[in-house]
Amino acid sequence: MKIGVVTFPGSLDDRDAARAVRTVGAESIALWHGDSDLHGVDAVILPGGFSYGDYLRCGAISRFAPVMSSIIEKAKTGLPVLGICNGFQVLCESHLLPGALTRNHALHFLCSDQTLKIENSSTAWTSSYQVGDEIVIPLKNGEGSFQCDDATLARLEGDGLIVARYVGENPNGSRNMIAGITNERGNVVGLMPHPEHAIDPLTGPSADGLGFFTSILNQMVSK
Amino acid sequence: MAKIVVDVMLKPEILDPQGQAVGAALPRLGFTFATSVRQGKRFEIEIDGEATQAMLAEVSRAAETLLANPVIENFVVRVEK
């Protein structure tokens, strides 16, 4: 089981994502933004950070990196892809997921432990959870406010495409408290908070984030 | 040589906290005229030769692909005199 973790110029959380992959017993493969070869990986993680300095819009330039051409093509035929934070922004800019992430409504950069409620446990990345589970993982972003038009929001709600919602006060102004969404197929998931920073109580607020990584492992093993 | 300008603005229905912050700062400085402020981006693109219709169409395509995110932003392409 090989899970690729992409490094863009400006990625920050690629090492933690790779560590999370190894923690659940999968092999982590480093993918480079300038290389369109996916090296035979079974799934891909787009990590958090500030790829290409967040110039223009977050994720707008990364979306055209050579590695993304291959990921976009394969994601459309079922390759599991998890985009965390900046990775979520890249997925929206790639149009693999609808909507966009915009500036937090209070303009502050957020960095805190955030409670989330899992809303969909049938995606490639959330099958280890139960719907209604509450998890605590770090949230750290400046542009994490999920926005989309009313029709898209109705579709996300109606088709069960919301993966996780913020619990408590809305931290960043996201519509309907959306913290993460998936595509119809359930192979592509974008999440603003960081499960890869919550895999060990020694270094994170909990080990609640592990479920994202065990989910993908279980899916691959059961295939 | 010609200069083509692309103005990019958030769509009216998209929350613009930066514009709101600027709008809130103006009256504190005694500028009380503004009922609303929205903030956008302006790209100035220089080209060799004339800004033909075909060239403007090409710039529009670039704006739609990269300069603006059509999910949340509108853009206008024009030639700067």
Side-chain angles (χ1 to χ4, degrees):
Chain A
M1 170 80 199
K2 294 184 191 172
I3 301 180
V5 178
V6 177
T7 300
F8 296 102
S11 290
L12 286 181
D13 302 324
D14 41 344
R15 283 169 182 245
D16 271 22
R19 174 171 171 249
V21 165
R22 290 194 303 270
T23 301
V24 298
E27 187 184 351
S28 147
I29 305 288
L31 299 178
W32 184 239
H33 71 107
D35 182 1
S36 59
D37 186 349
L38 298 185
H39 300 277
V41 297
D42 304 299
V44 169
I45 297 174
L46 302 176
F50 299 87
S51 58
Y52 295 91
D54 275 353
Y55 292 165
L56 188 60
R57 294 177 307 279
C58 305
I61 297 176
S62 326
R63 172 247 179 283
F64 294 103
V67 74
M68 283 308 299
S69 314
S70 309
I71 291 172
I72 291 168
E73 189 189 318
K74 296 226 162 130
K76 287 178 178 166
T77 58
L79 176 76
V81 181
L82 173 65
I84 303 167
C85 192
N86 190 216
F88 187 7
Q89 295 162 340
V90 173
L91 290 175
C92 287
E93 283 283 343
S94 307
H95 307 303
L96 286 174
L97 293 176
L101 284 312
T102 63
R103 182 81 55 177
N104 295 343
H105 68 339
L107 292 169
H108 299 293
F109 187 93
L110 298 172
C111 187
S112 60
D113 298 334
Q114 175 69 45
T115 305
L116 304 181
K117 189 165 154 215
I118 301 293
E119 299 273 339
N120 179 335
S121 62
S122 59
T123 78
W125 298 92
T126 55
S127 59
S128 294
Y129 298 103
Q130 307 281 327
V131 170
D133 277 357
E134 292 203 354
I135 65 172
V136 178
I137 64 177
L139 175 68
K140 53 175 183 117
N141 63 73
E143 308 203 13
S145 176
F146 181 81
Q147 300 295 321
C148 61
D149 59 27
D150 292 344
T152 304
L153 190 64
R155 188 169 63 81
L156 288 172
E157 291 283 359
D159 295 351
L161 302 181
I162 295 164
V163 168
R165 274 186 233 267
Y166 301 111
V167 173
E169 252 181 68
N170 193 332
N172 50 24
S174 293
R175 294 201 74 180
N176 290 22
M177 302 280 269
I178 289 173
I181 58 173
T182 185
N183 60 348
E184 275 83 0
R185 196 172 182 145
N187 62 310
V188 179
V189 169
L191 189 72
M192 196 34 67
H194 292 263
E196 82 284 15
H197 295 330
I199 59 161
D200 179 348
L202 181 68
T203 53
S206 68
D208 291 352
L210 267 181
F212 284 85
F213 306 95
T214 54
S215 296
I216 191 65
L217 191 65
N218 292 338
Q219 155 156 332
M220 288 298 153
V221 170
S222 67
K223 258 190 181 172
Chain B
M1 205 186 86
K3 186 188 274 184
I4 299 172
V5 172
V6 181
D7 287 314
V8 178
M9 291 298 298
L10 280 173
K11 289 181 177 174
E13 67 270 25
I14 300 291
L15 182 72
D16 176 18
Q18 293 181 100
Q20 285 177 350
V22 174
L26 285 173
R28 287 202 297 272
L29 302 173
F31 300 110
T32 54
F33 47 79
T35 54
S36 165
V37 177
R38 292 182 68 79
Q39 181 179 323
K41 294 190 189 96
R42 170 187 163 114
F43 298 87
E44 298 184 347
I45 301 167
E46 290 183 0
I47 58 163
D48 287 329
E50 291 296 299
T52 58
Q53 283 306 314
M55 177 57 76
L56 291 177
E58 185 73 353
V59 171
S60 285
R61 226 163 52 78
E64 205 175 334
T65 309
L66 179 66
L67 304 183
N69 177 354
V71 175
I72 49 168
E73 294 169 327
N74 294 322
F75 65 87
V76 178
V77 176
R78 61 190 163 84
V79 182
E80 180 99 320
K81 299 291 180 220

